[in-house]
Every structure is written in C-alpha cells, then in structure tokens.
Amino acid sequence: MPTNVRPARGARHREPTLGARWPLLLALAVLTGACSLLADSALSDKPSEGGAGAPGSTSTGGCAPDCPADACCGGACVDLSQDPAHCGACGNACGAGESCCDGECTSVLNDPSNCGACGAACLNTLCVGGHCSSECVFGFDNCDGNIVTNGCEVDLTSDPERCGGCSLRCPSGAFCDAGECACAPLLLDCDGLSDTGCETDGASNPAHCGACGVTCGPNMECQAGACGCQAGYADCNMAPDDGCEASLGTTESCRACGDACSDGMACDLVGGCACTNGLLDCDGLPGCESIVTDPATCGACGVQCPADTPRCDGTACVVTCAPGLTACGLSCVDTQTSPRHCGACGVVAGPHQHCEAGALACDADFADCDPSAPGCESNLARDPQHCGACGTVCKPGAACVAGVCACGGFTPHDCGADCRACCSDADCSDGDGCTTDVCEAGGTACRSTGCAAGEQCCSLVACRQCCTSADCSGDEICSGGACLPPCGSGLVACDGACVSLSSVEHCGACGNACLSGRECRDGACTPPRVVMATAGAPMPRQMAAAAWIGDALFVWGGRTASRDVNDGALYDPARDAWSPLGTAGAPSARVLAGAAWTGSRVLVWGGGAFGSTAGLATGAAYDPAVGTWRAMSTTSAPAARRSPIAVWTGTRLLIWGGAAGGAPVGGGALYDPVADAWSPVSSVGAAPARDGVAWAWSGAELYLFGGRAGDSTTGDGYAYNPTTDAWRALPSAGAPSPRADAFAVWMGSRLLVWGGVDKDDRDLGDGAIYDPAAGTWAAVDDRDAPSRRSRSERRTGWTAWTGTRALIAGGRSDSMSRKDGKLYDPAAGWGASLAVANKQHSYGVGIWTGTELILWSGFDGFSLLADGERFRP
C-alpha cells in the first residue's frame, strides 16, 4: 500500500481563551491535588468513628434507620464510595498515599482515571505524580497537538485515518485492526495504489483468489476465496500447475477422478457408467462383454437363438437379415454405425473412435495424430503437444485448457516466448507497502525484501523509523514516522517537526492551515471569509463541473456568457493562485457534467449542451500530474444524462440519477478506471427515477431521500452499497415528511435530512436524522433552526460536514436565493447564523475542501460573476 498521506481534515480549534488561562488552571490543579492527597492521608490515619464498634464491625448501633446495612461501620454510617477507612466495605482501609475512589482504593499519583483526585481523569495520557502528563497511553496519540483540551484524542488501534501513527492513513476500503491497515475479509489491495484501495474481490477473482497473486489454474474458478474446479472438471493428478486437468464425463473419469468405465461402457454424468448401445453385461464382471446381435445373447442375456432361426438382428432371432442389415457371421448388423463392423464386417473401432456413416471417426476432443497408434490417441482438449489440433504445441510453461494453450498455475504470466512466474517486478506486487518486490532473473520466482535496517513496517503502508512513541528511546516521541526529542516551550510535534500552534500552518492544532488571506489569532484562523484571486482564473461561467482534488479546486466546462466550453483551471487556496488545465484529449464542451476525484485522476462524465435538454454518455479522466485527458470507455456505460450524482467509492466511480429530455433518469453504473470498464448498478430494490432527490455519500453507501414523483413529493429513502451491489429501503417510521430539494449531510455516522419543499412548493424548516446502526429516524430539534429553505441541485444550496458540525447554507426561500447559513451540532443543536457568502453564486461552483467552502463564479442576480470567495466556519 503506497503512502499518499494527507494532513488531517477538519482539525479542531483550541478555544481562544484557554491558552492564556492554562498556567493558572495548572497551578490550581496542582494545589487541589495536593490538598486532596493531604486530606486523604489524614483521614486514612483516623480510627473508625463510632467508638464502641471494632474495625470492620457492621453493627447498626448508632446508625440512622435509613443507613444501608452494609454502610453501618462501627456504629457510624459511612460513604463506602469515598471513605478511605471503609472503602467499598466496612474495615477495608486504604493504604498510605491511597484514596478511596468509587469504592476502590487507588493511588491518585499514578491512576489515569483518578489523577490527583477522585474523578479527575486523564484523556488517554499517563498520570505521573498526580498530574496528567503529555505521554500517551499505549495505543493512543496526540495527533492534533492539543494535549491540554482533548489529551491523546486518537485511537491508533482502530482509526483508519491514523492507523498505527498520526500520519498513517489506511487506503480506501481498508479498516484499522490493532494498529494495522487491513482489507475487509476477502477484499484485497493487489495493485498497490491508494486511490483504488482494496480493489480486488479475493472471493471470486481467479487471478487473486484469497490472496494477491494466488492464481487459479486451468479449468478452475475462485469460490469463496479458494480455487476450485469448474463444473465438469477435476484435479486428478493433484498437480496445481495444470489446474483441473481432467474432464469429467469421459470413460477415464466419469463422475469423479478414478471413476473409470470398463470396456464396452460409456459415461453418463448423471447416471454414471452404462453399457454402450448394442452391448450387454451378462457375466456380472466389470464391463459389457456381450453383443445384442450375438445369437447367444440375442437382445438380452440368456436368449439363445434356435437352429431354425440362427441369426440375431439385435431384437429377435431371424432366418435372414432384414434389408439394410449385413450378415457378419450369425449377427445382423448396421455397418453404418456398428463399432465392430464399421463399413464392413470385422472393421473394429479403436480407443476414442466410433462408427459414423460407415467410417471410423474420432470422438469429440480426440484426434489420430499418430497413425501408428490404434484409434484416436491424442486428447486435443488437454494435450500440450496437440492442443486444439494435431501438431499445435503450447509454449513452455503453458498448459492445454479446453483446446487452448494457457499459462499454468505456477507460471501464470505470459512473457511472450514462454509462461513464467513473473515477467517484471510489477507482477510480484503483494500490496504490502513495506516490501520491495523483485522478479528473479529468468522469471522463475518473485522475491520480496522488507524494511531496511533501523526501520520498521507501519500498518503495511510504509517503512518508518517509528510507528508510535513506544518505538522511540528515552523521552523521545514519534511524529511523522521519526523519533524526536521533546519540543521546546510553546512548541508541539507535528508530522516530524516541532511547530508553534500559533502559526498559520498549524493554527490551534497540527495541520490546521489557515491558507492564504488569513492569519492565526488566539488559535483560530481569521477572518472567516476571504476573496479569491481573479488573475489567471478561467472565464466566468455557470454549470461547470468541479471537484476538490486534495490540495486544489478543479473547475472544468460549463457555459460562459456566449458559449459552452471545454477548458478549465485549478485553484490552490494555499497560494491563492490559478493554473490552467491541459486540453489535450479533453471531452467535448458541455454543462452540468459530474466530476469525482479518485486520488490520482479526476473523472468527468455526462452533461449536455446548454441549449438542449438531451444528455451525453461520454467522459474522460484528467491527470493533473501531467495535464492530459484520457477518454473513458463507452461500452456498457449508463444512459446519457445531465447533472448525474457522481461519487468516488474508493475503487469505482458511481454514477446514479440525473435528467435527460426534461425528465429524471433512473439507474446508474460503476466505472473501474484501472480496467476502463463499466458495470451496471443492480436494479433489484433500486430507488426509482426522481427529480429533486436529497443525497449524501457515507463512505460506504449512497443515501437518497425524497424527490418528486410526477406532481407529488415522496418520503421514501434508499441506500445503495456498491461493494455488495445491493439496495435497501430506509424505514418510513419517523422519517421526514414527503419533500423534494432537501439538504442532506452525512455526519460521520448518521444522515441529516433537512428543509426542502412540499408538494405545493412551500418551503420547509424541519428534518430528521437517520441512524443506520439502529435503523431508526429521530426528529431534529427546530429551536434556532435556519429559516425555511430548499436546495436546488447544481443551482444553489451548500452542505458540508466539518468533522463536528453540519453546515446548511445558501439555498432558496420564497423564490429568493440566500447567502446565509447555520451549523448543526448533533450534541448541542443549531448554532448562530453565519454570513457564509457575499454573493449568490447561483449555478456556480460550491465545493467543500475539508476545512472551507469555496464558492466561485455563477450568477449574482442577473450578472455572471468573475470572482469567488472562501468561507471557513
């Protein structure tokens, strides 16, 4: 797995006043902890109150009636949860230096759950001397550098964004298991590319069956991650190189290996071996030795022809043979079909031969390649010296499979002159980013070497000096894969360097870059909204395709003031600078195309001409590294459409919905950029075609809700899983009322649906949250909610998930475009109103980057804008 690591997105800001107050709070915590220790120590030296009762006594004498029986110790009612002389039970006294916390004796000097005082928990940090230290407990790390407010906030054992280390991100489709990136069961990462993630289905892929590079042999298929024989084949020689080399249904292997038919028998796959036409088994021994035309067994065993009717025609004893039959001895035979008298009496068919139209002919898949041998001795289906035809020899390392030469299981790669274990190093990739994979000279085998001396493998992603601080010596800490000495005063470790959290690159938290146009003030980037540069920007336009590509905004196509265009540009918010896109191989000019970023390419598909309602079914992939386009296959592509939903699933581009001819289009397809191939999205239980549907991508499923069905709105919800290619309906109980043009935001683990319009086109101001884990909806508290409004796809209305809050902004209310918005906190509800934009940007670009909302061009009223703005919540 390659190490394309990006900075953490949505990093939390430190509260502005906390930095100034921290020294005072620390001093108070020290004093409080010390006083608590002195008080606990003093209490622990006192005898039990109550006088007459001995220690441990549970006598109720002197205790009030309402005192629990087990809390009356020595005649006094005590609090067993905090009394050091009776901690958890009467007479259970804590030792010197211990406190009674929640009924258990503990040393508040080193207990991270009760550090300095009972209930004073450290946030995944160690407790040293009664104070929370900056050293994380094993398995956790301080990735945002904000040890004061949230301690060691990241669980390195389970967080796929920081698996085994703050900068170690698992590829798409992988999860974090005990600090190591791992693909879900039977999913594999065999191409070593982070943008395709766990792209291979090891349950059914015969080239990577159960593990990368495990190739199923000839006549085999991958079944649940294990190679097995295809129907009608078996592995009888137990040699994996030629796979399942034996064809069942033959006399050599009828229904299984070794199930050979005896002489005179033929194979029936269902019934097994049986006598061939014209033969009988009359002696009870293996094989069919008797002939039905023999006067001794005429038509059946034990039927002997008498002297007056000495000949047998196979069914009855006769005086003379009937017309069409030839007398061969006392047998009346059809020389056109008889295997013992083919064309003439005494001409016998050899092995794998039969009589056809009075001439000897070879059985299917057999040929007489050696005239000196009897019968048809060569199996054209599996003989590598006569594969498919006499004299057709397979190249070295290949096997003959169903009459075609194919590379064998031990030599799966066709290198031209022969089949080998590998042709190049690329054939040896095992998906492990910590190994160097080499094809041995001559292609005889693959060899993998691990990390260099002094390095170790971190989450199968890359070789690093360290994965966690436990790998470092002394008081060093692991940051960015390197061991660092403790940072100086006012500095924290961020990605391998000691930095100040008051810098614009790390404002309040590691990696929280303010970008151009802002400064870091009191741990927060300010101002929230900045204007984008216009120098080098593309011509103002509407209905352009756009995507965030990790460090830049991609804008392409759309309609300028006079024409449809097929050009565009990249905008870098860190430098506030534009750069033009390459045009070589670009798709035709269009509006309302869909765009998605794979991690290395932008995939642009669909759209149509501005002056038409028709859609297009073409697209291309743009490589920003070299500035070139490559056309996408149109074979099996989805039907033409405008404004399709386009999301990158981690391994495929998912296209769904859209419109064409003025009507909504249903269905969709998945595009594999590695294979340049489309596959259809399942229609079983799929959401119907609809206009104004609210949608969100969870990282695993596409969620759809509401929309217009004819003249009415719907309240139906659906979820599509591209990994399993399966749809499911969302429950209707508690779901939002029927609506179209609603806002939808995936909030990390739940789906928020809010606003929209009803069937009478009236704006709505309510919504609900769907929890897929519980399978239930819950209403959203409407206190301080935004004004009633709707979102119009590709026109107005912007959404985002900041990592802690959902942003609902823009949209339309009473047919007027809005520029304000609000943040919704799942724990605290709606926040204060936000002035998100200065201008409307109707039909413009609106893209969330992970830290800010970029709005560019589009209309402000009736004017096409040439500028843009960036808003940071």
Side-chain angles (χ1 to χ4, degrees):
M1 298 179 185
T3 175
N4 294 339
V5 180
R6 301 190 183 91
R9 300 188 298 174
R12 299 178 181 175
H13 295 173
R14 187 169 55 188
E15 290 297 325
T17 59
L18 187 57
R21 296 174 58 192
W22 173 241
L24 177 59
L25 294 175
L26 180 60
L28 289 174
V30 172
L31 291 175
T32 301
C35 290
S36 176
L37 286 173
L38 290 174
D40 289 344
S41 176
L43 288 173
S44 67
D45 290 336
K46 291 181 180 180
S48 300
E49 297 180 1
S57 171
T58 58
S59 170
T60 59
C63 294
D66 59 350
C67 180
D70 60 350
C72 185
C73 303
C77 191
V78 301
D79 184 351
L80 299 178
S81 67
Q82 60 182 2
D83 190 329
H86 308 284
C87 188
C90 291
N92 184 33
C94 296
E98 290 186 329
S99 296
C100 182
C101 298
D102 200 22
E104 293 185 2
C105 294
T106 184
S107 172
V108 295
L109 294 176
N110 54 24
D111 184 355
S113 298
N114 305 280
C115 191
C118 291
C122 298
L123 299 177
N124 299 319
T125 64
L126 298 178
C127 179
V128 180
H131 305 293
C132 295
S133 73
S134 60
E135 181 68 18
C136 300
V137 299
F138 184 76
F140 288 82
D141 210 339
N142 174 30
C143 293
D144 64 3
N146 210 347
I147 197 77
V148 174
T149 59
N150 59 1
C152 298
E153 79 288 353
V154 176
D155 183 353
L156 301 179
T157 65
S158 62
D159 189 344
E161 295 292 322
R162 304 171 183 87
C163 187
C166 290
S167 60
L168 300 177
R169 180 183 184 186
C170 292
S172 300
F175 66 97
C176 187
D177 180 19
E180 296 285 343
C181 292
C183 292
L186 295 181
L187 291 180
L188 307 169
D189 176 22
C190 296
D191 62 6
L193 300 176
S194 63
D195 58 342
T196 58
C198 301
E199 82 293 339
T200 302
D201 182 2
S204 60
N205 191 321
H208 306 284
C209 188
C212 294
V214 176
T215 304
C216 295
N219 300 322
M220 303 184 82
E221 59 187 3
C222 188
Q223 307 161 343
C227 293
C229 293
Q230 296 176 0
Y233 291 90
D235 181 13
C236 294
N237 62 5
M238 303 305 291
D241 189 56
D242 58 0
C244 298
E245 81 295 339
S247 298
L248 300 181
T250 65
T251 55
E252 292 86 356
S253 302
C254 186
R255 289 183 294 182
C257 295
D259 182 20
C261 296
S262 301
D263 292 342
M265 305 185 83
C267 176
D268 182 332
L269 267 175
V270 177
C273 295
C275 291
T276 59
N277 290 336
L279 294 180
L280 300 169
D281 180 13
C282 296
D283 61 3
L285 299 175
C288 300
E289 77 292 340
S290 300
I291 304 173
V292 295
T293 59
D294 190 327
T297 52
C298 187
C301 295
V303 177
Q304 175 73 47
C305 289
D308 57 343
T309 53
R311 290 182 171 82
C312 178
D313 63 5
T315 58
C317 295
V318 297
V319 176
T320 60
C321 295
L325 300 180
T326 301
C328 292
L330 293 177
S331 297
C332 297
V333 298
D334 183 358
T335 57
Q336 296 296 298
T337 61
S338 173
R340 285 169 175 75
H341 307 282
C342 186
C345 294
V347 179
V348 181
H352 303 296
Q353 276 186 325
H354 62 278
C355 186
E356 185 176 325
L360 294 175
C362 293
D363 293 344
D365 294 332
F366 285 86
D368 183 12
C369 298
D370 182 2
S372 64
C376 300
E377 77 293 337
S378 298
N379 188 341
L380 302 182
R382 59 185 185 183
D383 188 343
Q385 299 302 312
H386 306 284
C387 189
C390 292
T392 300
V393 181
C394 295
K395 65 178 64 176
C400 184
V401 182
V404 178
C405 292
C407 291
F410 288 151
T411 54
H413 297 285
D414 188 346
C415 301
D418 55 7
C419 294
R420 303 177 186 173
C422 55
C423 305
S424 65
D425 294 346
D427 295 330
C428 297
S429 176
D430 57 5
D432 184 347
C434 295
T435 62
T436 300
D437 308 305
V438 177
C439 181
E440 296 278 12
T444 55
C446 289
R447 177 173 53 85
S448 297
T449 55
C451 297
E455 294 184 337
Q456 56 187 303
C457 180
C458 296
S459 301
L460 299 181
V461 174
C463 295
R464 304 287 177 85
Q465 182 183 355
C466 60
C467 303
T468 68
S469 296
D471 301 326
C472 300
S473 60
D475 58 355
E476 290 184 326
I477 58 175
C478 183
S479 177
C483 291
L484 301 178
C487 295
S489 177
L491 302 178
V492 297
C494 290
D495 235 355
C498 291
V499 302
S500 169
L501 296 186
S502 62
S503 65
V504 293
E505 293 82 9
H506 306 279
C507 186
C510 287
N512 185 34
C514 294
L515 305 178
S516 64
R518 296 190 184 93
E519 61 179 343
C520 182
R521 187 180 301 167
D522 295 327
C525 296
T526 187
R529 189 173 54 250
V530 295
V531 177
M532 297 164 61
T534 56
M539 294 181 64
R541 62 195 63 196
Q542 59 172 311
M543 304 183 186
W548 179 249
I549 66 170
D551 55 6
L553 170 69
F554 169 92
V555 176
W556 180 86
R559 173 81 176 184
T560 66
S562 59
R563 61 189 178 89
D564 295 354
V565 292
N566 67 341
D567 61 3
L570 294 173
Y571 173 74
D572 181 356
R575 299 184 299 111
D576 191 27
W578 291 90
S579 58
L581 297 178
T583 57
S588 59
R590 63 190 67 188
V591 300
L592 299 176
W597 171 244
T598 71
S600 62
R601 306 286 191 276
V602 182
L603 304 179
V604 175
W605 190 87
F610 178 78
S612 169
T613 60
L616 294 171
T618 59
Y622 181 74
D623 184 349
V626 296
T628 58
W629 293 84
R630 175 183 61 80
M632 296 165 59
S633 171
T634 57
T635 302
S636 301
R641 62 196 70 193
R642 304 156 72 91
S643 300
I645 294 173
V647 297
W648 178 245
T649 70
T651 60
R652 304 289 189 273
L653 169 69
L654 169 61
I655 294 291
W656 190 89
V665 176
L670 294 164
Y671 175 73
D672 181 351
V674 177
D676 188 27
W678 291 92
S679 58
V681 164
S682 173
S683 60
V684 178
R690 58 181 66 184
D691 177 46
V693 63
W695 67 275
W697 171 248
S698 73
E701 290 183 303
L702 173 66
Y703 285 90
L704 305 169
F705 184 84
R708 295 181 184 84
D711 295 330
S712 64
T713 53
T714 74
D716 298 333
Y718 297 85
Y720 172 71
N721 186 324
T723 301
T724 59
D725 190 28
W727 289 88
R728 62 186 176 91
L730 303 186
S732 58
S737 60
R739 63 192 63 202
D741 298 331
F743 294 80
V745 184
W746 179 255
M747 302 189 299
S749 61
R750 293 177 292 170
L751 173 70
L752 168 66
V753 175
W754 188 88
V757 295
D758 62 15
K759 64 182 180 62
D760 297 319
D761 212 30
R762 292 176 298 196
D763 295 314
L764 300 172
D766 62 355
I769 295 174
Y770 175 69
D771 183 350
T776 57
W777 290 93
V780 174
D781 190 338
D782 60 2
R783 286 178 297 180
D784 300 320
S787 60
R788 297 170 178 265
R789 66 187 67 190
S790 62
R791 175 183 179 271
S792 181
E793 183 76 17
R794 303 296 293 271
R795 181 178 181 182
T796 183
W798 316 299
T799 61
W801 174 244
T802 68
T804 57
R805 296 172 293 177
L807 172 65
I808 300 291
R812 292 174 63 81
S813 179
D814 297 326
S815 301
M816 298 293 293
S817 293
R818 305 195 62 93
K819 297 177 287 184
D820 64 334
K822 281 199 172 189
L823 292 168
Y824 177 76
D825 186 329
W830 295 102
S833 296
L834 303 169
V836 175
N838 278 323
K839 300 178 180 179
Q840 294 175 1
H841 299 285
S842 180
Y843 293 110
V845 168
I847 293 292
W848 175 252
T849 70
T851 58
E852 60 182 11
L853 177 69
I854 299 183
L855 303 171
W856 182 78
S857 199
F859 286 97
D860 190 48
F862 297 99
S863 301
L864 195 58
L865 297 169
D867 54 5
E869 48 193 315
R870 300 175 7 235
F871 172 73
R872 191 182 189 107

